[in-house]
PDB file of all heavy atoms in Angstrom:
ATOM      1  N   LEU A1056      -9.539 -11.553 -96.672  1.00 98.00           N
ATOM      2  CA  LEU A1056      -9.617 -11.392 -95.219  1.00 98.00           C
ATOM      3  C   LEU A1056      -8.285 -11.734 -94.570  1.00 98.00           C
ATOM      4  O   LEU A1056      -7.785 -10.987 -93.717  1.00 98.00           O
ATOM      5  CB  LEU A1056     -10.714 -12.311 -94.663  1.00 98.00           C
ATOM      6  CG  LEU A1056     -10.802 -12.431 -93.143  1.00 98.00           C
ATOM      7  CD1 LEU A1056     -11.340 -11.150 -92.530  1.00 98.00           C
ATOM      8  CD2 LEU A1056     -11.678 -13.626 -92.747  1.00 98.00           C
ATOM      9  N   ALA A1057      -7.711 -12.885 -94.954  1.00 99.00           N
ATOM     10  CA  ALA A1057      -6.436 -13.311 -94.371  1.00 99.00           C
ATOM     11  C   ALA A1057      -5.345 -12.278 -94.625  1.00 99.00           C
ATOM     12  O   ALA A1057      -4.562 -11.951 -93.726  1.00 99.00           O
ATOM     13  CB  ALA A1057      -6.026 -14.670 -94.946  1.00 99.00           C
ATOM     14  N   ALA A1058      -5.311 -11.753 -95.845  1.00 98.00           N
ATOM     15  CA  ALA A1058      -4.303 -10.738 -96.183  1.00 98.00           C
ATOM     16  C   ALA A1058      -4.481  -9.484 -95.332  1.00 98.00           C
ATOM     17  O   ALA A1058      -3.503  -8.825 -94.964  1.00 98.00           O
ATOM     18  CB  ALA A1058      -4.379 -10.402 -97.668  1.00 98.00           C
ATOM     19  N   GLY A1059      -5.736  -9.160 -95.025  1.00 98.00           N
ATOM     20  CA  GLY A1059      -6.007  -7.987 -94.199  1.00 98.00           C
ATOM     21  C   GLY A1059      -5.742  -8.204 -92.726  1.00 98.00           C
ATOM     22  O   GLY A1059      -5.586  -7.244 -91.959  1.00 98.00           O
ATOM     23  N   MET A1060      -5.688  -9.472 -92.293  1.00 98.00           N
ATOM     24  CA  MET A1060      -5.522  -9.787 -90.874  1.00 98.00           C
ATOM     25  C   MET A1060      -4.108 -10.231 -90.489  1.00 98.00           C
ATOM     26  O   MET A1060      -3.750 -10.204 -89.311  1.00 98.00           O
ATOM     27  CB  MET A1060      -6.506 -10.897 -90.483  1.00 98.00           C
ATOM     28  CG  MET A1060      -7.957 -10.466 -90.447  1.00 98.00           C
ATOM     29  SD  MET A1060      -8.295  -9.238 -89.154  1.00 98.00           S
ATOM     30  CE  MET A1060      -8.114 -10.263 -87.678  1.00 98.00           C
ATOM     31  N   THR A1061      -3.299 -10.657 -91.462  1.00 98.00           N
ATOM     32  CA  THR A1061      -1.977 -11.172 -91.116  1.00 98.00           C
ATOM     33  C   THR A1061      -1.105 -10.105 -90.465  1.00 98.00           C
ATOM     34  O   THR A1061      -1.146  -8.931 -90.860  1.00 98.00           O
ATOM     35  CB  THR A1061      -1.254 -11.747 -92.354  1.00 98.00           C
ATOM     36  OG1 THR A1061       0.042 -12.206 -91.969  1.00 98.00           O
ATOM     37  CG2 THR A1061      -1.087 -10.700 -93.455  1.00 98.00           C
ATOM     38  N   LYS A1062      -0.313 -10.541 -89.491  1.00 98.00           N
ATOM     39  CA  LYS A1062       0.648  -9.635 -88.848  1.00 98.00           C
ATOM     40  C   LYS A1062       2.059  -9.878 -89.365  1.00 98.00           C
ATOM     41  O   LYS A1062       2.923  -9.026 -89.252  1.00 98.00           O
ATOM     42  CB  LYS A1062       0.601  -9.821 -87.325  1.00 98.00           C
ATOM     43  CG  LYS A1062      -0.713  -9.359 -86.698  1.00 98.00           C
ATOM     44  CD  LYS A1062      -0.708  -9.575 -85.185  1.00 98.00           C
ATOM     45  CE  LYS A1062      -1.952  -8.969 -84.526  1.00 98.00           C
ATOM     46  NZ  LYS A1062      -3.202  -9.543 -85.045  1.00 98.00           N
ATOM     47  N   THR A1063       2.281 -11.050 -89.945  1.00 98.00           N
ATOM     48  CA  THR A1063       3.609 -11.390 -90.452  1.00 98.00           C
ATOM     49  C   THR A1063       3.775 -11.060 -91.930  1.00 98.00           C
ATOM     50  O   THR A1063       4.890 -11.083 -92.460  1.00 98.00           O
ATOM     51  CB  THR A1063       3.881 -12.899 -90.283  1.00 98.00           C
ATOM     52  OG1 THR A1063       2.923 -13.639 -91.062  1.00 98.00           O
ATOM     53  CG2 THR A1063       3.761 -13.307 -88.813  1.00 98.00           C
ATOM     54  N   GLY A1064       2.658 -10.797 -92.611  1.00 98.00           N
ATOM     55  CA  GLY A1064       2.714 -10.555 -94.048  1.00 98.00           C
ATOM     56  C   GLY A1064       2.788 -11.835 -94.853  1.00 98.00           C
ATOM     57  O   GLY A1064       3.028 -11.825 -96.062  1.00 98.00           O
ATOM     58  N   LYS A1065       2.526 -12.968 -94.175  1.00 98.00           N
ATOM     59  CA  LYS A1065       2.526 -14.260 -94.865  1.00 98.00           C
ATOM     60  C   LYS A1065       1.335 -15.102 -94.390  1.00 98.00           C
ATOM     61  O   LYS A1065       1.084 -15.193 -93.184  1.00 98.00           O
ATOM     62  CB  LYS A1065       3.818 -15.030 -94.594  1.00 98.00           C
ATOM     63  CG  LYS A1065       5.057 -14.375 -95.186  1.00 98.00           C
ATOM     64  CD  LYS A1065       6.297 -15.201 -94.880  1.00 98.00           C
ATOM     65  CE  LYS A1065       7.545 -14.542 -95.469  1.00 98.00           C
ATOM     66  NZ  LYS A1065       8.776 -15.334 -95.179  1.00 98.00           N
ATOM     67  N   VAL A1066       0.621 -15.675 -95.345  1.00 98.00           N
ATOM     68  CA  VAL A1066      -0.488 -16.585 -95.039  1.00 98.00           C
ATOM     69  C   VAL A1066      -0.251 -17.854 -95.848  1.00 98.00           C
ATOM     70  O   VAL A1066       0.594 -17.877 -96.740  1.00 98.00           O
ATOM     71  CB  VAL A1066      -1.851 -15.956 -95.383  1.00 98.00           C
ATOM     72  CG1 VAL A1066      -2.079 -14.690 -94.572  1.00 98.00           C
ATOM     73  CG2 VAL A1066      -1.957 -15.637 -96.884  1.00 98.00           C
ATOM     74  N   GLY A1067      -0.978 -18.919 -95.526  1.00 98.00           N
ATOM     75  CA  GLY A1067      -0.719 -20.167 -96.236  1.00 98.00           C
ATOM     76  C   GLY A1067      -1.952 -21.009 -96.440  1.00 98.00           C
ATOM     77  O   GLY A1067      -2.980 -20.820 -95.793  1.00 98.00           O
ATOM     78  N   THR A1068      -1.840 -21.947 -97.349  1.00 98.00           N
ATOM     79  CA  THR A1068      -2.899 -22.929 -97.576  1.00 98.00           C
ATOM     80  C   THR A1068      -2.250 -24.237 -97.985  1.00 98.00           C
ATOM     81  O   THR A1068      -1.119 -24.266 -98.489  1.00 98.00           O
ATOM     82  CB  THR A1068      -3.898 -22.468 -98.656  1.00 98.00           C
ATOM     83  OG1 THR A1068      -4.962 -23.417 -98.762  1.00 98.00           O
ATOM     84  CG2 THR A1068      -3.233 -22.301-100.014  1.00 98.00           C
ATOM     85  N   TYR A1069      -2.942 -25.336 -97.721  1.00 98.00           N
ATOM     86  CA  TYR A1069      -2.483 -26.636 -98.202  1.00 98.00           C
ATOM     87  C   TYR A1069      -3.701 -27.515 -98.439  1.00 98.00           C
ATOM     88  O   TYR A1069      -4.803 -27.216 -97.957  1.00 98.00           O
ATOM     89  CB  TYR A1069      -1.504 -27.294 -97.216  1.00 98.00           C
ATOM     90  CG  TYR A1069      -2.114 -27.800 -95.921  1.00 98.00           C
ATOM     91  CD1 TYR A1069      -2.643 -29.088 -95.820  1.00 98.00           C
ATOM     92  CD2 TYR A1069      -2.140 -26.993 -94.781  1.00 98.00           C
ATOM     93  CE1 TYR A1069      -3.188 -29.557 -94.632  1.00 98.00           C
ATOM     94  CE2 TYR A1069      -2.677 -27.455 -93.584  1.00 98.00           C
ATOM     95  CZ  TYR A1069      -3.205 -28.744 -93.516  1.00 98.00           C
ATOM     96  OH  TYR A1069      -3.749 -29.200 -92.347  1.00 98.00           O
ATOM     97  N   GLY A1070      -3.491 -28.589 -99.194  1.00 98.00           N
ATOM     98  CA  GLY A1070      -4.602 -29.474 -99.517  1.00 98.00           C
ATOM     99  C   GLY A1070      -4.334 -30.907 -99.120  1.00 98.00           C
ATOM    100  O   GLY A1070      -3.233 -31.243 -98.668  1.00 98.00           O
ATOM    101  N   ALA A1071      -5.336 -31.753 -99.300  1.00 97.00           N
ATOM    102  CA  ALA A1071      -5.164 -33.188 -99.080  1.00 97.00           C
ATOM    103  C   ALA A1071      -4.566 -33.817-100.333  1.00 97.00           C
ATOM    104  O   ALA A1071      -3.521 -34.459-100.289  1.00 97.00           O
ATOM    105  CB  ALA A1071      -6.486 -33.845 -98.725  1.00 97.00           C
ATOM    106  N   LEU A1072      -5.249 -33.607-101.461  1.00 96.00           N
ATOM    107  CA  LEU A1072      -4.797 -34.143-102.740  1.00 96.00           C
ATOM    108  C   LEU A1072      -5.007 -33.092-103.822  1.00 96.00           C
ATOM    109  O   LEU A1072      -5.924 -32.270-103.723  1.00 96.00           O
ATOM    110  CB  LEU A1072      -5.602 -35.401-103.111  1.00 96.00           C
ATOM    111  CG  LEU A1072      -5.403 -36.650-102.253  1.00 96.00           C
ATOM    112  CD1 LEU A1072      -6.503 -37.668-102.551  1.00 96.00           C
ATOM    113  CD2 LEU A1072      -4.030 -37.266-102.502  1.00 96.00           C
ATOM    114  N   PRO A1073      -4.183 -33.100-104.876  1.00 97.00           N
ATOM    115  CA  PRO A1073      -4.352 -32.121-105.958  1.00 97.00           C
ATOM    116  C   PRO A1073      -5.490 -32.514-106.891  1.00 97.00           C
ATOM    117  O   PRO A1073      -5.277 -32.882-108.046  1.00 97.00           O
ATOM    118  CB  PRO A1073      -2.995 -32.140-106.664  1.00 97.00           C
ATOM    119  CG  PRO A1073      -2.454 -33.511-106.406  1.00 97.00           C
ATOM    120  CD  PRO A1073      -2.964 -33.917-105.049  1.00 97.00           C
ATOM    121  N   ILE A1074      -6.719 -32.452-106.384  1.00 94.00           N
ATOM    122  CA  ILE A1074      -7.914 -32.758-107.174  1.00 94.00           C
ATOM    123  C   ILE A1074      -8.799 -31.511-107.193  1.00 94.00           C
ATOM    124  O   ILE A1074      -8.710 -30.666-106.292  1.00 94.00           O
ATOM    125  CB  ILE A1074      -8.677 -33.968-106.605  1.00 94.00           C
ATOM    126  CG1 ILE A1074      -9.069 -33.743-105.137  1.00 94.00           C
ATOM    127  CG2 ILE A1074      -7.833 -35.236-106.752  1.00 94.00           C
ATOM    128  CD1 ILE A1074      -9.904 -34.853-104.529  1.00 94.00           C
ATOM    129  N   PRO A1075      -9.659 -31.364-108.206  1.00 94.00           N
ATOM    130  CA  PRO A1075     -10.424 -30.125-108.365  1.00 94.00           C
ATOM    131  C   PRO A1075     -11.193 -29.647-107.132  1.00 94.00           C
ATOM    132  O   PRO A1075     -11.159 -28.441-106.827  1.00 94.00           O
ATOM    133  CB  PRO A1075     -11.368 -30.448-109.530  1.00 94.00           C
ATOM    134  CG  PRO A1075     -10.586 -31.407-110.362  1.00 94.00           C
ATOM    135  CD  PRO A1075      -9.843 -32.260-109.379  1.00 94.00           C
ATOM    136  N   PRO A1076     -11.889 -30.522-106.374  1.00 92.00           N
ATOM    137  CA  PRO A1076     -12.627 -30.001-105.216  1.00 92.00           C
ATOM    138  C   PRO A1076     -11.724 -29.408-104.121  1.00 92.00           C
ATOM    139  O   PRO A1076     -12.209 -28.717-103.237  1.00 92.00           O
ATOM    140  CB  PRO A1076     -13.367 -31.241-104.675  1.00 92.00           C
ATOM    141  CG  PRO A1076     -13.415 -32.192-105.805  1.00 92.00           C
ATOM    142  CD  PRO A1076     -12.148 -31.966-106.574  1.00 92.00           C
ATOM    143  N   VAL A1077     -10.422 -29.704-104.216  1.00 96.00           N
ATOM    144  CA  VAL A1077      -9.450 -29.155-103.266  1.00 96.00           C
ATOM    145  C   VAL A1077      -8.785 -27.906-103.834  1.00 96.00           C
ATOM    146  O   VAL A1077      -8.765 -26.840-103.205  1.00 96.00           O
ATOM    147  CB  VAL A1077      -8.377 -30.216-102.911  1.00 96.00           C
ATOM    148  CG1 VAL A1077      -7.230 -29.592-102.118  1.00 96.00           C
ATOM    149  CG2 VAL A1077      -9.007 -31.367-102.125  1.00 96.00           C
ATOM    150  N   THR A1078      -8.240 -28.019-105.035  1.00 98.00           N
ATOM    151  CA  THR A1078      -7.466 -26.906-105.592  1.00 98.00           C
ATOM    152  C   THR A1078      -8.325 -25.687-105.900  1.00 98.00           C
ATOM    153  O   THR A1078      -7.814 -24.561-105.937  1.00 98.00           O
ATOM    154  CB  THR A1078      -6.716 -27.345-106.862  1.00 98.00           C
ATOM    155  OG1 THR A1078      -7.661 -27.816-107.832  1.00 98.00           O
ATOM    156  CG2 THR A1078      -5.724 -28.443-106.543  1.00 98.00           C
ATOM    157  N   ILE A1079      -9.635 -25.881-106.080  1.00 98.00           N
ATOM    158  CA  ILE A1079     -10.510 -24.735-106.338  1.00 98.00           C
ATOM    159  C   ILE A1079     -10.506 -23.770-105.154  1.00 98.00           C
ATOM    160  O   ILE A1079     -10.508 -22.543-105.327  1.00 98.00           O
ATOM    161  CB  ILE A1079     -11.943 -25.200-106.673  1.00 98.00           C
ATOM    162  CG1 ILE A1079     -12.812 -24.013-107.087  1.00 98.00           C
ATOM    163  CG2 ILE A1079     -12.592 -25.967-105.522  1.00 98.00           C
ATOM    164  CD1 ILE A1079     -14.174 -24.411-107.628  1.00 98.00           C
ATOM    165  N   PHE A1080     -10.464 -24.298-103.924  1.00 98.00           N
ATOM    166  CA  PHE A1080     -10.359 -23.454-102.739  1.00 98.00           C
ATOM    167  C   PHE A1080      -9.033 -22.682-102.751  1.00 98.00           C
ATOM    168  O   PHE A1080      -8.981 -21.489-102.455  1.00 98.00           O
ATOM    169  CB  PHE A1080     -10.362 -24.308-101.462  1.00 98.00           C
ATOM    170  CG  PHE A1080     -11.693 -24.808-100.993  1.00 98.00           C
ATOM    171  CD1 PHE A1080     -12.150 -26.056-101.355  1.00 98.00           C
ATOM    172  CD2 PHE A1080     -12.473 -24.051-100.131  1.00 98.00           C
ATOM    173  CE1 PHE A1080     -13.360 -26.551-100.888  1.00 98.00           C
ATOM    174  CE2 PHE A1080     -13.682 -24.527 -99.655  1.00 98.00           C
ATOM    175  CZ  PHE A1080     -14.127 -25.778-100.030  1.00 98.00           C
ATOM    176  N   MET A1081      -7.962 -23.407-103.078  1.00 98.00           N
ATOM    177  CA  MET A1081      -6.618 -22.833-103.014  1.00 98.00           C
ATOM    178  C   MET A1081      -6.438 -21.741-104.055  1.00 98.00           C
ATOM    179  O   MET A1081      -5.830 -20.696-103.795  1.00 98.00           O
ATOM    180  CB  MET A1081      -5.591 -23.950-103.160  1.00 98.00           C
ATOM    181  CG  MET A1081      -5.729 -25.000-102.054  1.00 98.00           C
ATOM    182  SD  MET A1081      -4.856 -26.557-102.364  1.00 98.00           S
ATOM    183  CE  MET A1081      -3.189 -26.119-101.872  1.00 98.00           C
ATOM    184  N   ASP A1082      -7.008 -21.964-105.264  1.00 98.00           N
ATOM    185  CA  ASP A1082      -6.963 -20.941-106.314  1.00 98.00           C
ATOM    186  C   ASP A1082      -7.649 -19.655-105.850  1.00 98.00           C
ATOM    187  O   ASP A1082      -7.108 -18.549-105.988  1.00 98.00           O
ATOM    188  CB  ASP A1082      -7.671 -21.441-107.578  1.00 98.00           C
ATOM    189  CG  ASP A1082      -6.845 -22.421-108.382  1.00 98.00           C
ATOM    190  OD1 ASP A1082      -5.628 -22.542-108.138  1.00 98.00           O
ATOM    191  OD2 ASP A1082      -7.419 -23.087-109.275  1.00 98.00           O
ATOM    192  N   GLY A1083      -8.850 -19.802-105.299  1.00 98.00           N
ATOM    193  CA  GLY A1083      -9.593 -18.634-104.846  1.00 98.00           C
ATOM    194  C   GLY A1083      -8.882 -17.896-103.731  1.00 98.00           C
ATOM    195  O   GLY A1083      -8.832 -16.662-103.709  1.00 98.00           O
ATOM    196  N   PHE A1084      -8.307 -18.657-102.809  1.00 99.00           N
ATOM    197  CA  PHE A1084      -7.614 -18.072-101.657  1.00 99.00           C
ATOM    198  C   PHE A1084      -6.428 -17.202-102.093  1.00 99.00           C
ATOM    199  O   PHE A1084      -6.316 -16.038-101.680  1.00 99.00           O
ATOM    200  CB  PHE A1084      -7.143 -19.189-100.731  1.00 99.00           C
ATOM    201  CG  PHE A1084      -6.485 -18.719 -99.462  1.00 99.00           C
ATOM    202  CD1 PHE A1084      -7.245 -18.299 -98.373  1.00 99.00           C
ATOM    203  CD2 PHE A1084      -5.093 -18.706 -99.340  1.00 99.00           C
ATOM    204  CE1 PHE A1084      -6.643 -17.877 -97.193  1.00 99.00           C
ATOM    205  CE2 PHE A1084      -4.483 -18.292 -98.168  1.00 99.00           C
ATOM    206  CZ  PHE A1084      -5.251 -17.872 -97.092  1.00 99.00           C
ATOM    207  N   VAL A1085      -5.552 -17.756-102.936  1.00 98.00           N
ATOM    208  CA  VAL A1085      -4.369 -16.988-103.342  1.00 98.00           C
ATOM    209  C   VAL A1085      -4.765 -15.794-104.212  1.00 98.00           C
ATOM    210  O   VAL A1085      -4.120 -14.737-104.153  1.00 98.00           O
ATOM    211  CB  VAL A1085      -3.316 -17.875-104.055  1.00 98.00           C
ATOM    212  CG1 VAL A1085      -2.828 -18.978-103.123  1.00 98.00           C
ATOM    213  CG2 VAL A1085      -3.832 -18.459-105.345  1.00 98.00           C
ATOM    214  N   ASP A1086      -5.832 -15.926-104.989  1.00 98.00           N
ATOM    215  CA  ASP A1086      -6.292 -14.791-105.793  1.00 98.00           C
ATOM    216  C   ASP A1086      -6.874 -13.691-104.908  1.00 98.00           C
ATOM    217  O   ASP A1086      -6.749 -12.501-105.220  1.00 98.00           O
ATOM    218  CB  ASP A1086      -7.327 -15.242-106.820  1.00 98.00           C
ATOM    219  CG  ASP A1086      -6.689 -15.813-108.078  1.00 98.00           C
ATOM    220  OD1 ASP A1086      -5.447 -15.741-108.209  1.00 98.00           O
ATOM    221  OD2 ASP A1086      -7.430 -16.331-108.934  1.00 98.00           O
ATOM    222  N   GLY A1087      -7.527 -14.082-103.808  1.00 98.00           N
ATOM    223  CA  GLY A1087      -8.039 -13.089-102.859  1.00 98.00           C
ATOM    224  C   GLY A1087      -6.916 -12.312-102.204  1.00 98.00           C
ATOM    225  O   GLY A1087      -7.019 -11.098-101.997  1.00 98.00           O
ATOM    226  N   VAL A1088      -5.827 -13.021-101.896  1.00 98.00           N
ATOM    227  CA  VAL A1088      -4.631 -12.347-101.345  1.00 98.00           C
ATOM    228  C   VAL A1088      -4.070 -11.364-102.368  1.00 98.00           C
ATOM    229  O   VAL A1088      -3.740 -10.213-102.044  1.00 98.00           O
ATOM    230  CB  VAL A1088      -3.557 -13.388-100.944  1.00 98.00           C
ATOM    231  CG1 VAL A1088      -2.257 -12.683-100.539  1.00 98.00           C
ATOM    232  CG2 VAL A1088      -4.059 -14.271 -99.805  1.00 98.00           C
ATOM    233  N   ALA A1089      -3.977 -11.818-103.621  1.00 98.00           N
ATOM    234  CA  ALA A1089      -3.444 -10.962-104.690  1.00 98.00           C
ATOM    235  C   ALA A1089      -4.325  -9.727-104.894  1.00 98.00           C
ATOM    236  O   ALA A1089      -3.818  -8.618-105.126  1.00 98.00           O
ATOM    237  CB  ALA A1089      -3.337 -11.759-105.987  1.00 98.00           C
ATOM    238  N   TYR A1090      -5.631  -9.909-104.782  1.00 98.00           N
ATOM    239  CA  TYR A1090      -6.563  -8.791-104.946  1.00 98.00           C
ATOM    240  C   TYR A1090      -6.371  -7.772-103.827  1.00 98.00           C
ATOM    241  O   TYR A1090      -6.414  -6.552-104.066  1.00 98.00           O
ATOM    242  CB  TYR A1090      -8.003  -9.318-104.952  1.00 98.00           C
ATOM    243  CG  TYR A1090      -9.047  -8.274-105.297  1.00 98.00           C
ATOM    244  CD1 TYR A1090      -9.243  -7.867-106.619  1.00 98.00           C
ATOM    245  CD2 TYR A1090      -9.843  -7.696-104.311  1.00 98.00           C
ATOM    246  CE1 TYR A1090     -10.200  -6.920-106.954  1.00 98.00           C
ATOM    247  CE2 TYR A1090     -10.800  -6.741-104.621  1.00 98.00           C
ATOM    248  CZ  TYR A1090     -10.978  -6.362-105.931  1.00 98.00           C
ATOM    249  OH  TYR A1090     -11.923  -5.412-106.249  1.00 98.00           O
ATOM    250  N   TYR A1091      -6.142  -8.261-102.614  1.00 98.00           N
ATOM    251  CA  TYR A1091      -5.870  -7.361-101.486  1.00 98.00           C
ATOM    252  C   TYR A1091      -4.587  -6.564-101.749  1.00 98.00           C
ATOM    253  O   TYR A1091      -4.544  -5.339-101.545  1.00 98.00           O
ATOM    254  CB  TYR A1091      -5.725  -8.170-100.191  1.00 98.00           C
ATOM    255  CG  TYR A1091      -5.400  -7.330 -98.979  1.00 98.00           C
ATOM    256  CD1 TYR A1091      -6.413  -6.766 -98.205  1.00 98.00           C
ATOM    257  CD2 TYR A1091      -4.071  -7.075 -98.613  1.00 98.00           C
ATOM    258  CE1 TYR A1091      -6.116  -5.978 -97.103  1.00 98.00           C
ATOM    259  CE2 TYR A1091      -3.761  -6.288 -97.511  1.00 98.00           C
ATOM    260  CZ  TYR A1091      -4.793  -5.741 -96.766  1.00 98.00           C
ATOM    261  OH  TYR A1091      -4.491  -4.950 -95.674  1.00 98.00           O
ATOM    262  N   ASN A1092      -3.559  -7.258-102.195  1.00 98.00           N
ATOM    263  CA  ASN A1092      -2.285  -6.580-102.470  1.00 98.00           C
ATOM    264  C   ASN A1092      -2.457  -5.490-103.526  1.00 98.00           C
ATOM    265  O   ASN A1092      -1.918  -4.378-103.395  1.00 98.00           O
ATOM    266  CB  ASN A1092      -1.241  -7.597-102.952  1.00 98.00           C
ATOM    267  CG  ASN A1092      -0.753  -8.505-101.832  1.00 98.00           C
ATOM    268  OD1 ASN A1092      -0.833  -8.151-100.656  1.00 98.00           O
ATOM    269  ND2 ASN A1092      -0.253  -9.678-102.197  1.00 98.00           N
ATOM    270  N   GLN A1093      -3.222  -5.799-104.553  1.00 98.00           N
ATOM    271  CA  GLN A1093      -3.468  -4.841-105.633  1.00 98.00           C
ATOM    272  C   GLN A1093      -4.257  -3.635-105.108  1.00 98.00           C
ATOM    273  O   GLN A1093      -3.936  -2.486-105.423  1.00 98.00           O
ATOM    274  CB  GLN A1093      -4.249  -5.537-106.743  1.00 98.00           C
ATOM    275  CG  GLN A1093      -4.602  -4.642-107.922  1.00 98.00           C
ATOM    276  CD  GLN A1093      -5.508  -5.357-108.925  1.00 98.00           C
ATOM    277  OE1 GLN A1093      -5.580  -6.582-108.952  1.00 98.00           O
ATOM    278  NE2 GLN A1093      -6.217  -4.591-109.729  1.00 98.00           N
ATOM    279  N   ALA A1094      -5.271  -3.909-104.295  1.00 98.00           N
ATOM    280  CA  ALA A1094      -6.118  -2.828-103.789  1.00 98.00           C
ATOM    281  C   ALA A1094      -5.418  -1.948-102.772  1.00 98.00           C
ATOM    282  O   ALA A1094      -5.670  -0.734-102.696  1.00 98.00           O
ATOM    283  CB  ALA A1094      -7.387  -3.418-103.168  1.00 98.00           C
ATOM    284  N   LYS A1095      -4.518  -2.552-101.991  1.00 98.00           N
ATOM    285  CA  LYS A1095      -3.903  -1.834-100.874  1.00 98.00           C
ATOM    286  C   LYS A1095      -2.436  -1.458-101.094  1.00 98.00           C
ATOM    287  O   LYS A1095      -1.836  -0.809-100.245  1.00 98.00           O
ATOM    288  CB  LYS A1095      -3.997  -2.698 -99.601  1.00 98.00           C
ATOM    289  CG  LYS A1095      -5.411  -3.102 -99.211  1.00 98.00           C
ATOM    290  CD  LYS A1095      -6.214  -1.919 -98.712  1.00 98.00           C
ATOM    291  CE  LYS A1095      -7.574  -2.343 -98.200  1.00 98.00           C
ATOM    292  NZ  LYS A1095      -8.383  -1.201 -97.708  1.00 98.00           N
ATOM    293  N   GLY A1096      -1.874  -1.892-102.210  1.00 98.00           N
ATOM    294  CA  GLY A1096      -0.467  -1.630-102.447  1.00 98.00           C
ATOM    295  C   GLY A1096       0.423  -2.379-101.467  1.00 98.00           C
ATOM    296  O   GLY A1096       1.491  -1.905-101.080  1.00 98.00           O
ATOM    297  N   LYS A1097       0.008  -3.564-101.078  1.00 98.00           N
ATOM    298  CA  LYS A1097       0.762  -4.389-100.123  1.00 98.00           C
ATOM    299  C   LYS A1097       1.436  -5.548-100.856  1.00 98.00           C
ATOM    300  O   LYS A1097       1.260  -5.749-102.058  1.00 98.00           O
ATOM    301  CB  LYS A1097      -0.170  -4.956 -99.040  1.00 98.00           C
ATOM    302  CG  LYS A1097      -0.913  -3.886 -98.251  1.00 98.00           C
ATOM    303  CD  LYS A1097       0.005  -3.138 -97.299  1.00 98.00           C
ATOM    304  CE  LYS A1097      -0.779  -2.193 -96.396  1.00 98.00           C
ATOM    305  NZ  LYS A1097       0.087  -1.426 -95.488  1.00 98.00           N
ATOM    306  N   ASN A1098       2.191  -6.345-100.075  1.00 98.00           N
ATOM    307  CA  ASN A1098       2.864  -7.499-100.669  1.00 98.00           C
ATOM    308  C   ASN A1098       2.755  -8.713 -99.749  1.00 98.00           C
ATOM    309  O   ASN A1098       3.747  -9.340 -99.392  1.00 98.00           O
ATOM    310  CB  ASN A1098       4.339  -7.171-100.944  1.00 98.00           C
ATOM    311  CG  ASN A1098       5.017  -8.256-101.773  1.00 98.00           C
ATOM    312  OD1 ASN A1098       4.384  -8.923-102.580  1.00 98.00           O
ATOM    313  ND2 ASN A1098       6.310  -8.450-101.540  1.00 98.00           N
ATOM    314  N   VAL A1099       1.515  -9.045 -99.364  1.00 98.00           N
ATOM    315  CA  VAL A1099       1.290 -10.232 -98.536  1.00 98.00           C
ATOM    316  C   VAL A1099       1.588 -11.474 -99.381  1.00 98.00           C
ATOM    317  O   VAL A1099       1.130 -11.574-100.522  1.00 98.00           O
ATOM    318  CB  VAL A1099      -0.168 -10.275 -98.012  1.00 98.00           C
ATOM    319  CG1 VAL A1099      -0.418 -11.569 -97.241  1.00 98.00           C
ATOM    320  CG2 VAL A1099      -0.450  -9.065 -97.137  1.00 98.00           C
TER     321      VAL A1099
END
């Protein structure tokens, strides 16, 4: 969704601590961006 909505071509995420309940969100988020790029031929 973020990749489809960005106007700058850049989105971001950050966490509190590098522990599994935090990084699991971040892993999914960046993979969703990558999936959008693959599907749309973009480079967010």
